[in-house]
Amino acid sequence: MATKGTQSGASKTERLLALLDGQPVIPVLKITDVAHAVPLARALARGGLKAIEITLRTPDALECIRRVAAEVPEAVVGAGTILSASQFDEAASAGSKFIVSPGITRELLAAARDSEVPLLPGAITPGEIMAAREAGLDFLKFFPAEQAGGAAFLKALASPIADVRFCPTGGIGPKNAADYLSLPNVLCVGGSWVAPDDLVKAGRWDEIEALAKAASALRKAP
């Protein structure tokens, strides 16, 4: 089970932000071969992207998280596509430093409340965002970003819900990442373009490191 704790939502948000350490792009990874997990995490970390999200979309995702947590101390590994409290606990036990979910449910909120591992839940409607805010969460995933209205939608939320910040994910790449990062309520973006499937399968870690360096050079507008 996940480690129990009594931290407030606000303190957990601050812990999550400390883990991300101002990183502008969070790699969202779907790893199909366990053997790729460690060299991929090392290449991304060398490129400046230490915080990574390994999604639970493959049978060996938890083992990938375990290996990265044990063998790549320079990386901050998180788990994504968490849909239930049981998955939350499994991912935390595997060594995840943060948990990412595409949505928000009472079950997940309860699991996060009882754990020291911070949760980054997804929310796209004003109602979902307000519900998360009432639960003490003011840093949220906005997913699927492009399909849900993109940067224009997030810009419209910046005034009425000014105290909530986002990590948009979904349909974001090098051509539009800067549009999101220019918004006052966006702290970082998530994307898979820094680790293309063909480069991962071929073990072309130097090229992935170069993509990571380019992504880490993206910065928030002052």
Side-chain angles (χ1 to χ4, degrees), residues 36 52 61 86 109:
H36 292 152
I52 62 173
S86 61
L109 286 176

Side-chain angles (χ1 to χ4, degrees), residues 26-30 53 55-57 80-83 99-104 108 120-126 128-129 132 139-151 153-154 157 164-173 180 185-186 188-192:
I26 310 301
V28 179
L29 309 173
K30 179 182 176 182
E53 174 189 338
T55 62
L56 266 62
R57 298 183 185 182
T81 320
I82 298 298
L83 305 178
I99 301 291
V100 185
S101 172
I104 187 169
L108 276 174
L120 179 62
I124 56 174
T125 69
E128 291 172 343
I129 295 166
F139 179 39
L140 305 172
K141 175 176 179 174
F142 183 74
F143 172 84
E146 283 291 282
Q147 295 85 346
F153 188 92
L154 278 171
L157 292 174
V164 177
R165 297 159 291 177
F166 297 93
C167 176
T169 304
I172 299 177
Y180 286 92
N185 55 347
V186 169
C188 56
V189 300
S192 59

